[in-house]
Structures are given as structure tokens and as C-alpha cells.
């Protein structure tokens, strides 16, 4: 038997998470991009070792695209956009988050909620990256090229698609914030 539970976050709840994110960003100012993504990877690894509810496990898995796009030289996310993603990931580099991860079952609940907030803010970046990864894979297969090599270098035949997706990402992000009546981009001050 499964049970669906909906959590509604009010303004005060959102402020609590925003404050926690901003504290994490302050504490992570000295960390490199690799330090930040390594810490998020560690969170994922620890989350897999511990029995966590499926809903939390699914959300932890959403960190993969965020971490991958930061280091994917083939996608070459422009620095301003890369900083947005890193700003999101800083929360997961902080061992002193809202609920310590060592607390059984509930330790990853705050991480799951923060991931949902980050995915909401980064949805256009994640969508563009996932579209690019799919394009790269399909084109590499069609051209007989090893796709793993294309993650560490840019390639001429993918440049136009990459530029198109980056442009689309920025336009959609701008439109989302202009048309939004609720959630505003407040997690990113890194």
C-alpha cells in the first residue's frame, strides 16, 4: 500500500529554506566547483547506503543532472549559468543542513525538499542539458564516435545545438520569472 502525502510550504517555510541556502552559500564561498559537486556526490552515495523512503531516493537522484552539467565540458555551460547551478548545489555541500543526514529516515527530508526547490528554479537549465545529452548521444551513435569522449571536449557538430539550447534556456527562464505570480528566483546569490 502506498500513501501520497502533500507538503505545502508557506512563505515562512520557504524563507526558512532560503535562509538555509544562503547560509550554505556563505559557508561555501571558499569551495571550488569540484568540492561542491564532490560533496553532493557524497550525499548521494550516503543516501544510497541508508534505507530512505522511495520519494526521497527519487529526489536525491535529481542531483545527477545538476552535478553533471557543471563539469560537462562538451556542454560548456556559460559561467553565469554554471554559478547558478553551483549556488544550488552548495546546500548539499553543507553537513550542517536543516535536518542532519544521520537522523534515521528524516535526515534526507530537508535535502529532498531543497532538491525540489532547486529543480523548480533550474528546470530550464536541466531541460536544456538533458536535451543536449540526448542529442549528443544520438549524433555520436550516428557518426560512430565514442560519446564518453564528448563529455570532456566540445565538438564542432554539436556547437550549434548547444548554443540553441543555452539561448532557449535563458529565454524560458526569463519568461518564467516575468510570468510568475509565486515562486521567484531567490536561492541564487553565490
Amino acid at each position: 500500500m502506498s500513501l501520497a502525502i502533500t507538503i505545502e510550504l508557506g512563505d515562512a517555510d520557504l524563507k526558512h529554506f532560503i535562509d538555509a541556502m544562503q547560509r550554505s552559500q556563505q559557508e561555501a564561498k571558499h569551495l571550488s566547483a569540484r568540492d561542491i559537486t564532490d560533496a553532493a556526490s557524497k550525499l548521494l552515495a550516503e543516501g544510497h547506503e541508508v534505507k530512505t523512503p522511495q520519494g526521497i531516493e527519487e529526489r536525491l537522484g535529481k542531483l545527477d543532472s545538476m552535478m553533471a552539467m557543471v563539469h560537462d565540458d562538451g556542454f560548456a555551460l556559460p559561467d553565469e549559468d554554471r554559478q547558478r547551478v553551483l549556488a544550488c548545489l552548495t546546500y548539499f555541500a553543507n553537513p550542517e543542513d536543516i535536518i542532519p543526514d544521520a537522523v534515521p529516515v528524516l535526515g534526507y527530508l530537508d535535502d529532498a525538499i531543497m532538491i525540489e526547490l532547486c529543480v523548480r528554479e533550474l528546470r530550464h537549465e536541466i531541460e536544456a542539458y538533458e536535451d543536449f545529452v540526448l542529442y549528443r548521444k544520438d549524433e555520436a551513435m550516428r557518426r560512430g564516435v565514442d560519446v564518453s569522449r564528448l563529455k570532456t571536449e566540445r565538438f564542432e557538430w554539436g556547437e550549434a545545438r548547444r548554443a540553441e539550447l543555452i539561448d532557449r534556456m535563458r529565454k524560458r527562464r526569463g519568461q518564467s520569472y516575468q510570468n510568475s505570480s509565486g515562486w521567484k528566483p531567490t536561492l541564487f546569490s553565490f
Side-chain angles (χ1 to χ4, degrees):
M1 175 178 107
S2 64
L3 174 66
I5 297 176
T6 303
I7 299 173
E8 185 173 324
L9 299 176
D11 289 342
D13 302 318
L14 287 173
K15 183 171 180 356
H16 187 69
F17 278 93
I18 290 166
D19 290 348
M21 176 64 83
Q22 290 172 343
R23 278 191 307 277
S24 295
Q25 290 166 349
Q26 273 304 114
E27 293 169 12
K29 281 191 183 254
H30 69 284
L31 298 177
S32 70
R34 180 57 66 189
D35 292 337
I36 292 168
T37 56
D38 284 352
S41 292
K42 183 179 175 201
L43 172 77
L44 280 179
E46 290 171 353
H48 291 306
E49 291 174 9
V50 176
K51 178 70 177 144
T52 57
Q54 183 178 356
I56 291 175
E57 185 77 23
E58 288 170 8
R59 278 146 188 90
L60 289 174
K62 291 180 180 183
L63 284 175
D64 284 334
S65 286
M66 289 184 255
M67 292 183 299
M69 81 172 85
V70 166
H71 297 295
D72 190 328
D73 293 333
F75 186 56
L77 192 62
D79 195 51
E80 173 188 338
D81 302 304
R82 188 171 184 260
Q83 289 303 315
R84 284 176 44 82
V85 177
L86 285 169
C88 170
L89 292 172
T90 59
Y91 182 80
F92 309 103
N94 184 355
E96 302 298 320
D97 57 12
I98 295 172
I99 303 172
D101 296 336
V103 175
V105 181
L106 296 177
Y108 292 99
L109 180 60
D110 63 310
D111 298 303
I113 292 169
M114 189 63 82
I115 290 168
E116 282 298 314
L117 295 174
C118 291
V119 166
R120 179 175 226 165
E121 284 208 27
L122 295 174
R123 70 183 175 276
H124 302 300
E125 286 86 344
I126 292 168
E127 183 181 280
Y129 180 65
E130 290 175 349
D131 285 356
F132 181 79
V133 168
L134 183 60
Y135 170 80
R136 177 174 58 194
K137 179 183 171 198
D138 290 346
E139 281 296 305
M141 285 179 52
R142 190 175 75 75
R143 295 168 184 263
V145 177
D146 179 14
V147 74
S148 64
R149 191 189 81 191
L150 301 175
K151 293 178 183 176
T152 59
E153 60 188 59
R154 290 173 70 172
F155 44 99
E156 188 176 314
W157 50 264
E159 193 57 33
R161 180 68 177 150
R162 185 190 80 76
E164 175 187 317
L165 289 169
I166 297 287
D167 186 54
R168 182 189 80 184
M169 169 191 81
R170 289 178 172 171
K171 284 179 182 173
R172 287 182 177 177
R173 185 174 64 216
Q175 290 169 351
S176 293
Y177 296 147
Q178 289 172 359
N179 298 332
S180 176
S181 60
W183 183 251
K184 301 285 192 233
T186 54
L187 294 176
F188 307 110
S189 63
F190 195 66

